[in-house]
Structures are given as structure tokens and as C-alpha cells.
Amino acid sequence: MGGLATMRSSPHLSGGQSVDLQAKFPDLEELVHVFVPDLDVHGFALDAQWDPVTASVRVVADDVAWEAIQLDQMSAGLKTRPKHLLFDVEASQTADTVSAKVSGKMAASTLAFSQTTMEASNLPFAWLESFIDPETAELQGRLDAELSLTGTPSLPRLQGIGKVRGLEVKVGSLGTSFGGSGDVLVEPDGFTMNNWLVHDQEGETFRVYGALIHEQFQDWNMDLNCLESQNALHLMDLPYHPEAMVYGSLFGTGSFGVSFWDNHVEIDGEATVLGGTDLRLPLYQGATSSWEDVVHFTKSFEEAPLNVTADASSLRMAVNLNIDVDREAQVTLVLDDINDANMVGQMEGHLDFYMDNEERMDLKGALTIVEGRYDFALGQFLRKRFEAQPGGRLEWDGDVYEGTMNVDAVHQTRANISPLIGTSGGGQQFEAIDVVLHLSGPMLAPNIAFDLRAPEASPLNQEALSSALINESDVTSQAIALLSLQEFIPSQVNGLQLGAEGIQENSINLIASQVSGWLSRVNDDVEVGISYDALGETSDASDIISRQDALQ
């Protein structure tokens, strides 16, 4: 901590001595860290004079850094007079032309401020990252301010105006960013932003009004209102994460309000989800993220009272949204993340959504399918795409994981119907076949049933198919055979009996277990989905039976 100090003393006209002290220390880092571990100062100078009537002192620090704040130089001065004190504090950063200055007077007896001003130019919002986790929000932009200061150090009163320029807020929990500029009216009890024009990352704009109210810089309360935009806003753009509650892109419009009081944050809004949206909602058990993983502060702005538990001082958040879903919006319900079985499509309807960071999440309302698909998966071997039929409904009445569905979906294929109905000449008869999947009941484990239709077949063949498919067990067996082997199973050798027990139990899991066990016994020489000549001209009944035996 080497340095140099000099002191001179001389007689004063009023009697006594006049003292002049100057000191310079090029490196005080180790000493400063003893008292303020996070503060870096790489140069320090002191210039002081005092006599029996007055005193003055000025300190200058070079290369000052605290958290994200970086300054080339900071200085502070104080002069005493018989009835008042004169003071000033200045800070600057040359590279970004940042400057700040406070100067004024204080009454010696009461320490009341008078003729005190505060000026700031080009202050970067990035300095706030010391208090806000960058995963929650990253701030860019500049602040200019001209303020007057009255009151006392213990009860200060600020008044004036601040100008926010080029503010950009990247919201990590949404994956999007918003920006804007405007004036902030500073009054003794708070800060007001009036009629700000804010834009999303696509340049679409909306108006924002808000106020941040306090009582002597304690007991902070905030109200922020975002008015409806004319065009769709890019509200969210999140990549897939295995524990995410929601991901994908969200475009919409609406009005929102954000309130903060007593360490509570509440978001209320009316929203319309519009075209361009590709929203993915994991509805399987396991998407367990909470708001504590989404938004939090790295430092508390107010220490909790000694008689209050730590839990009472933690941030509490609640979101309450009324959502209209436009038919142009695409929504994906991730029902089975292991097998990637989803329901995807354009849907319309209304949802009421509530979520807080006490692990409560409610969803009420219904979506009606306009068009879409259902990815049908039985285990890891069998996957087919079904086209969801318009009019199907998805409904929730509270628990987001206990939604219900009533959906019909169709898989179209083409198959030889001869193994099922028989032919007099032993030839093949190919028909267009619709495999109709009926899904009902619990969304995460729906009841399933099948229908088989041949919409283009002759009345005679349609009647023959109806006669061959006597009961639900027969329909399910043949539907699974069509989906897996793309063929009907000859009725006289239908020993597979796929899915009969599953339909009786109304459980997709039991069918999946049966089919997976069946497919696991497939001969190494046979590929799933292979089309073989069950009743070709070169086949006879023994060939058919032997081929079916190879699959059991």
C-alpha cells in the first residue's frame, strides 16, 4: 500500500494554525477490500485544508468498480461554513461518455438539503445487472436525468424528470425482447411513466403506462399497464427443455397489468393468441419447472425484518390470464414425451389460466380442433399419423394434467381386403381403408376404440367387411394389423387377437404392452410395416398359417 503524504502548517490570521494535507496512494485495493470486498479502487488522492473558521476536503478515486458499475474517476468534496455545508460528488466514464454529478448545500444544524441538484448523462441500464439475474432479464439502454433534492439524508425528496433512451429488455423467461424510450416523471413519492411507445423484437408497438410508488424509498409498489396493440406481438420464443411448462413461439395481442407490492408480483391480462403461434404445452407428468426457476432477483432490495421468517421475504408471483385462441394459431399438446406422441393443429376456444410459484397451476376452458393431426404411438415400434377431425374438443376444469378429450382421427391407407372377406378366385382386392381412432376420456391416458371403413368399396364389399368384423376385438385386431403390417389378418388364422383385452380395459397402455410384446417376437427377417402376399396366387392356407406363426 505504498504512497506519499505531505502536511504543512502555518499561523492563521484569527489565531491558531492553518493546515494543508495532501496524500496520494497509487494502489489501495487490499485495504479497500478489508472494508468493502466488492469495491475495487486502483488510485486514491486526498486534499484537505482546515483552520479555526473553515475546513474543506476532497478525495479522488481512479478506476473504481463495484459489481457491474465501472468508472474512470470518482470524486467527492465537502466544505464547511459557519451555517452550512457545501458538497459535491462527481463520477465519469470516458469511453461511454457517462457522467453524474450531485452538488448543493446542507444546513449545518439540521442537515436539510437546499439548492441541491442531481444530473446524470448516459447512465447505462446494464449497471442494474448487479440486482437482476441475467437469465431473468438483460437490460440495455441509457438514462439522462435532471433532478432537485430536498429534505434530509434520512428523508430525501426527489423531483424532476428522467429520459430513457434506447431501452432494450431481453426477457430470458420468454425468449424475446422488448424496447422503448420515454420520459419518467420523478416525484417525492414515486416514478411515473406515461404513454411510452414500446416495441417487440419484430417492431410491432404498444402503449405502456406505469407508476412505481414508495414511502421514503421503502414499501415499494408498482402498477404497470400495457394497452392492446393493433397487430400481433411476438410474446414468446422458447426452445425445448425437458422440464419446461411451455415452449415454442407465441404471437398475440391484448392488455396486461403487472402489479408489485409487499414482495408479491401479480400479472393479469386479457390475451388473444393469433396466427404465427406454434405453442407447445407439455401435459405429461414431469414438466415441473416453477416460477422460482423462471424469475428471481440475485439480491434483495430490502432486508427481511428480524421477526419475519425467510420464506415471508421471498418473491411470490402469480399469473392470471384469460386467453382467446384464434383458429390460425397452432397448438401442440405434448402428451407423451418418451414416444413423441403429440396432438398438433389449429384450434380455437377460450382458456382461463392461473399459475403461481407455490406450485399451483390451474387451467379451465376448452379448445375445439379446426384441423390437425394426432401422432399415434404404441410403444417405440408403431407410429402412425392420424388426421384429427374438425370439431374434436379438449377440455380442462382445473388441473392442467387432468384434461379430457373427445377426438376422432383418421389414418388413410390402402390394403388388400381378400384375407378378410375371402375371394372365389383367390385374387387380391385392394381398397382405400380409413382406420378411425376414437379418443375419449383422460387426455394423458385416453380410452381408445377403432372403426374400419372402406368409403370407396362397392356395397357388396362393404357388407362383407361388416360381416367379417363381428365385434370390437375383431376391429381392434385388424386395425392394429393394418397400422403395423399394412395388411388385414386372414380371419381363419387370426390368432394374434391384438388389443382385445386392451379395449375391454379401455386402456391404451395395455394395448401398447400387447403390441410391443407381439412386435418383439417378429422374425429378424421381417421388417415392421412390410407388405407380404398373404393370399397371392402362389400362396395356400399352409403358407398363410406358417407366415402367421413366424409373427407369434
Side-chain angles (χ1 to χ4, degrees):
M1 192 190 89
L4 177 66
T6 60
M7 185 172 66
R8 297 182 180 86
S9 177
S10 60
H12 192 267
L13 295 175
S14 63
Q17 294 291 312
S18 176
V19 180
D20 187 346
L21 173 63
Q22 294 181 332
K24 183 173 290 187
F25 301 94
D27 190 354
L28 278 180
E29 186 172 358
E30 293 184 6
L31 178 61
V32 170
H33 284 176
V34 173
F35 299 98
V36 187
D38 295 333
L39 179 63
D40 291 331
V41 177
H42 295 289
F44 181 83
L46 171 68
D47 188 355
Q49 298 86 31
W50 67 90
D51 57 42
V53 180
T54 63
S56 66
V57 61
R58 175 165 294 279
V59 295
V60 178
D62 296 325
D63 297 327
V64 179
W66 179 74
E67 298 288 347
I69 299 174
Q70 303 282 337
L71 297 171
D72 296 334
Q73 190 176 83
M74 184 173 182
S75 66
L78 177 66
K79 296 179 180 179
T80 65
R81 296 294 184 265
K83 294 185 178 181
H84 58 264
L85 307 174
L86 302 175
F87 67 92
D88 68 85
V89 179
E90 295 186 48
S92 63
Q93 184 193 81
T94 304
D96 293 328
T97 62
V98 174
S99 66
K101 181 179 181 180
V102 181
S103 61
K105 297 169 62 173
M106 298 173 67
S109 57
T110 63
L111 297 183
F113 295 111
S114 64
Q115 300 178 21
T116 301
T117 61
M118 305 176 68
E119 299 176 357
S121 176
N122 230 24
L123 295 185
F125 279 99
W127 284 357
L128 294 177
E129 70 182 39
S130 304
F131 301 98
I132 302 176
D133 192 310
E135 293 185 1
T136 298
E138 296 181 13
L139 305 181
Q140 298 292 330
R142 299 288 171 165
L143 173 66
D144 301 330
E146 294 184 1
L147 309 174
S148 63
L149 175 62
T150 57
T152 65
S154 60
L155 299 173
R157 294 171 60 86
L158 287 174
Q159 197 155 5
I161 193 167
K163 293 184 178 293
V164 174
R165 297 181 289 106
L167 176 63
E168 293 288 337
V169 181
K170 182 178 181 181
V171 186
S173 58
L174 297 177
T176 51
S177 62
F178 302 89
S181 300
D183 293 344
V184 178
L185 180 64
V186 181
E187 297 178 299
D189 61 349
F191 307 84
T192 303
M193 51 188 298
N194 187 24
N195 199 28
W196 275 33
L197 187 63
V198 178
H199 61 82
D200 69 359
Q201 63 189 29
E202 312 295 338
E204 297 296 341
T205 60
F206 58 99
R207 296 286 179 178
V208 174
Y209 298 79
L212 184 61
I213 308 300
H214 61 85
E215 294 184 10
Q216 298 302 325
F217 296 94
Q218 295 182 354
D219 299 326
W220 291 87
N221 291 271
M222 180 186 71
D223 284 300
L224 190 68
N225 294 288
C226 306
L227 301 187
E228 188 168 355
S229 64
Q230 294 183 349
N231 299 312
L233 299 173
H234 197 169
L235 301 175
M236 189 184 78
D237 192 2
L238 291 175
Y240 167 77
H241 187 278
E243 294 185 355
M245 293 178 293
V246 61
Y247 58 95
S249 60
L250 173 62
F251 288 83
T253 186
S255 58
F256 301 89
V258 182
S259 300
F260 173 82
W261 77 99
D262 192 25
N263 243 11
H264 288 74
V265 175
E266 186 170 300
I267 301 173
D268 294 281
E270 304 278 343
T272 300
V273 178
L274 299 174
T277 294
D278 185 8
L279 195 63
R280 296 170 184 265
L281 304 174
L283 298 182
Y284 53 88
Q285 298 285 355
T288 57
S289 295
S290 69
W291 271 111
E292 292 179 352
D293 301 319
V294 175
V295 58
H296 61 281
F297 291 94
T298 58
K299 295 187 177 181
S300 176
F301 289 100
E302 299 179 18
E303 295 294 332
L306 295 178
N307 61 344
V308 178
T309 63
D311 288 343
S313 65
S314 61
L315 182 69
R316 282 156 285 179
M317 176 171 283
V319 179
N320 191 7
L321 299 177
N322 298 320
I323 305 170
D324 288 322
V325 180
D326 183 83
R327 61 171 46 220
E328 296 299 322
Q330 177 168 295
V331 179
T332 299
L333 303 180
V334 184
L335 304 176
D336 181 354
D337 66 319
I338 296 176
N339 295 307
D340 193 27
N342 308 320
M343 182 168 289
V344 185
Q346 278 71 49
M347 306 180 192
E348 61 181 353
H350 180 85
L351 298 173
D352 294 325
F353 176 77
Y354 175 87
M355 181 174 64
D356 60 32
N357 63 344
E358 295 180 355
E359 304 303 326
R360 177 186 169 192
M361 185 163 59
D362 290 338
L363 186 63
K364 294 183 178 182
L367 296 177
T368 301
I369 295 174
V370 177
E371 63 176 354
R373 73 174 195 271
Y374 176 70
D375 298 325
F376 180 71
L378 289 180
Q380 58 182 314
F381 297 100
L382 180 57
R383 169 174 300 280
K384 292 294 180 181
R385 174 174 294 186
F386 282 72
E387 296 301 319
Q389 299 301 287
R393 285 177 64 83
L394 311 172
E395 300 185 44
W396 292 265
D397 190 27
D399 192 328
V400 68
Y401 298 116
E402 294 184 2
T404 60
M405 63 166 51
N406 188 355
V407 175
D408 288 346
V410 176
H411 173 72
Q412 294 181 325
T413 187
R414 189 169 179 81
N416 177 19
I417 64 173
S418 298
L420 190 60
I421 67 174
T423 58
S424 58
Q428 298 183 354
Q429 296 188 63
F430 281 90
E431 295 284 359
I433 303 295
D434 289 349
V435 182
V436 183
L437 177 65
H438 304 288
L439 301 168
S440 62
M443 199 174 294
L444 299 187
N447 306 320
I448 70 170
F450 289 100
D451 272 337
L452 294 175
R453 301 170 184 166
E456 300 176 6
S458 66
L460 182 63
N461 281 345
Q462 289 189 10
E463 183 178 352
L465 285 171
S466 298
S467 300
L469 301 173
I470 301 174
N471 52 45
E472 290 186 8
S473 177
D474 290 336
V475 173
T476 300
S477 299
Q478 297 296 346
I480 295 296
L482 278 176
L483 294 174
S484 57
L485 298 176
Q486 298 179 7
E487 293 218 12
F488 285 110
I489 302 170
S491 56
Q492 67 268 35
V493 294
N494 183 6
L496 297 177
Q497 297 180 353
L498 298 175
E501 181 182 352
I503 284 296
Q504 294 169 4
E505 297 295 332
N506 285 326
S507 170
I508 194 171
N509 293 327
L510 288 180
I511 295 181
S513 175
Q514 286 184 329
V515 175
S516 295
W518 168 56
L519 292 176
S520 68
R521 297 194 296 269
V522 172
N523 188 299
D524 291 340
D525 295 330
V526 179
E527 295 181 3
V528 175
I530 191 172
S531 178
Y532 64 97
D533 183 13
L535 281 180
E537 296 179 356
T538 60
S539 301
D540 56 26
S542 61
D543 290 333
I544 298 170
I545 295 174
S546 64
R547 293 183 187 186
Q548 295 300 320
D549 288 341
L551 296 173
Q552 298 186 42

